Amino acid sequence: MSSLAVAADTPALWLTEQHLAGQWLTDGNGQTIPDPQSSGLTYRHGELVHIGDNSATPALRNKLLRINPATGQLVAPPLAINVNPALKQSCFAELLAGDPDWESLTWDRLDDSTLISVTEDSSKFHLTADCARRFGVTHATAYPTLLVKIRTDKALSFAEVVAVRPVQFPAAAKVGDFPNDGIEGLAFDNQRNLYLALEKNQANAPMIFVTPYSDDFWLSDDFVKVTDLKLPLPVPDAKDHPINGLDFLPARKEGHPGYLLAAARNDDQLWVLDLSRQQPAKVIPLRFYAPTRPDSSCPPYEPLANTSIEGVAVVGDQVVLVNDPWKRHYPENIQCPDNAAAFQQFSPLLFKLQLDPRWY
């Protein structure tokens, strides 16, 4: 670590609040998409690729959505994620054959045929005795967090789970047994490190872990033993400040390792985290707005009472965010009658934020 590294307790730097006008995620016919439960977003070959969790409407579970980032419209029908028959003998076959709780999505920047996702709440599944002896010591949940390799092609014409690796956290991290507060973000840097963002630990605080990612990563089916990154985070108190989305932002300065962009879902904030540890974390407060129809008698945009961002993707000179409608609170957004149906069916929105030189 550099001798110029900031202390872990250095206060975060707060930047100007940003007001973001959203665009509805729509299907090929321009209709809002009902309840895909957006839980991950990545940018690949000019498209956004979206994955939802297992509380999505049944027709969209275990599906990838390909999205035009300019319009928010699907460019192809939802793509089913299949499971390779060889994994039927895996310790995790029962979960993979059910409805895994997918959280986050990224891809191997040196192999565009590999997408990577991660499971979260697997509490309704149980390991056999033999598998529990092998994978029971996670230092977190009873059922392991799983990193999953999804094989595809450049055109993203098929998607198949072909490899799985459980995650073992360091005991000293005190992650805790919280099945629905697990890994919610994945991101690669330019050095082939894979970062995993945890919603919260026993101290009710988010954490970021890291593991090296090499060409032989998926040749093993043993534990991935992740390391606590111990990166200073802007968490000022013991309230809920979970990380629910993550992506990597390359630096503009040669030799700098870059930044992680993390979405704090409950706070409507984007965090800029300096991997060189030379600058304090930066906090960007966000205000979100939903569009109304051009022919509506309502204002062109209406402020959202609840947004719940869960996907972050760097797209050129912008950051794109997608929200995961929180069923308990999403109807609280209803103001304009023209948008009532979209909120009632839990349709998500995309939001775009320009990169800011102050982040670097």
Side-chain angles (χ1 to χ4, degrees):
M1 185 184 300
S2 166
S3 60
L4 299 177
V6 298
D9 58 354
T10 300
L13 177 63
W14 285 64
L15 302 182
T16 308
E17 182 179 66
Q18 300 295 308
H19 293 240
L20 306 184
Q23 56 188 159
W24 295 104
L25 190 62
T26 57
D27 62 20
N29 297 316
Q31 301 299 307
T32 54
I33 296 177
D35 198 16
Q37 285 296 295
S38 308
S39 295
L41 195 69
T42 191
Y43 181 63
R44 174 186 178 274
H45 295 319
E47 298 175 346
L48 292 167
V49 187
H50 164 294
I51 196 167
D53 67 29
N54 63 358
S55 62
T57 188
L60 291 178
R61 291 177 193 168
N62 292 313
K63 300 286 175 64
L64 296 174
L65 305 182
R66 296 169 53 198
I67 304 165
N68 181 329
T71 64
Q73 190 170 27
L74 298 192
V75 300
L79 179 66
I81 302 172
N82 298 308
V83 179
N84 190 284
L87 291 176
K88 290 183 178 180
Q89 306 304 316
S90 162
C91 282
F92 314 111
E94 181 188 13
L95 182 147
L96 294 174
D99 287 320
D101 186 23
W102 302 123
E103 299 289 345
S104 193
L105 187 70
T106 189
W107 59 283
D108 181 344
R109 299 309 194 265
L110 297 184
D111 176 10
D112 63 3
S113 69
T114 294
L115 294 169
I116 301 167
S117 189
V118 63
T119 61
E120 190 185 37
D121 189 355
S122 304
S123 54
K124 68 179 182 180
F125 297 95
H126 302 280
L127 298 175
T128 65
D130 287 344
C131 291
R133 279 190 287 272
R134 186 178 178 191
F135 297 123
V137 184
T138 67
H139 303 309
T141 51
Y143 197 102
T145 294
L146 303 179
L147 285 171
V148 173
K149 176 181 179 179
I150 303 172
R151 185 171 62 91
T152 184
D153 57 1
K154 183 174 181 178
L156 202 58
S157 65
F158 70 94
E160 182 183 44
V161 176
V162 295
V164 181
R165 292 194 65 182
V167 175
Q168 186 181 65
F169 297 93
K174 297 183 179 179
V175 170
D177 187 358
F178 305 120
N180 200 39
D181 292 294
I183 297 299
E184 289 265 352
L186 298 174
F188 277 109
D189 67 12
N190 286 338
Q191 305 301 317
R192 299 200 88 190
N193 294 304
L194 178 61
Y195 298 92
L196 300 85
L198 181 81
E199 269 195 286
K200 70 176 186 181
N201 59 16
Q202 289 181 16
N204 203 37
M207 301 182 74
I208 298 178
F209 297 89
V210 65
T211 183
Y213 184 92
S214 58
D215 291 336
D216 60 358
F217 185 89
W218 297 107
L219 297 181
S220 170
D221 60 359
D222 288 334
F223 270 126
V224 176
K225 297 184 178 182
V226 298
T227 301
D228 182 1
L229 190 61
K230 296 184 178 178
L231 195 67
L233 301 177
V235 183
D237 52 45
K239 297 180 181 178
D240 287 330
H241 304 276
I243 294 177
N244 286 83
L246 195 71
D247 203 3
F248 173 71
L249 177 65
R252 293 177 173 175
K253 181 180 178 181
E254 187 175 352
H256 189 290
Y259 306 84
L260 294 177
L261 301 182
R265 163 180 166 142
N266 290 4
D267 299 316
D268 288 347
Q269 295 172 357
L270 186 69
W271 296 349
V272 182
L273 309 173
D274 183 1
L275 288 170
S276 77
R277 305 171 189 262
Q278 295 179 12
Q279 298 291 329
K282 298 178 178 67
V283 175
I284 302 131
L286 304 172
R287 290 285 301 276
F288 299 101
Y289 297 81
T292 57
R293 294 199 312 259
D295 60 350
S296 173
S297 60
C298 301
Y301 290 91
E302 54 181 357
L304 298 181
N306 180 270
T307 311
S308 302
I309 295 297
E310 285 224 1
V312 180
V314 175
V315 179
D317 61 355
Q318 293 182 321
V319 180
V320 180
L321 311 171
V322 68
N323 68 319
D324 175 16
W326 190 355
K327 289 185 167 69
R328 187 191 312 169
H329 296 292
Y330 211 49
E332 297 169 9
N333 290 315
I334 297 174
Q335 301 172 60
C336 176
D338 295 338
N339 278 345
F343 288 124
Q344 288 168 342
Q345 69 177 8
F346 311 112
S347 297
L349 296 119
L350 294 178
F351 303 91
K352 296 171 185 175
L353 176 63
Q354 288 294 126
L355 300 183
D356 189 327
R358 293 175 298 173
W359 298 2
Y360 294 92

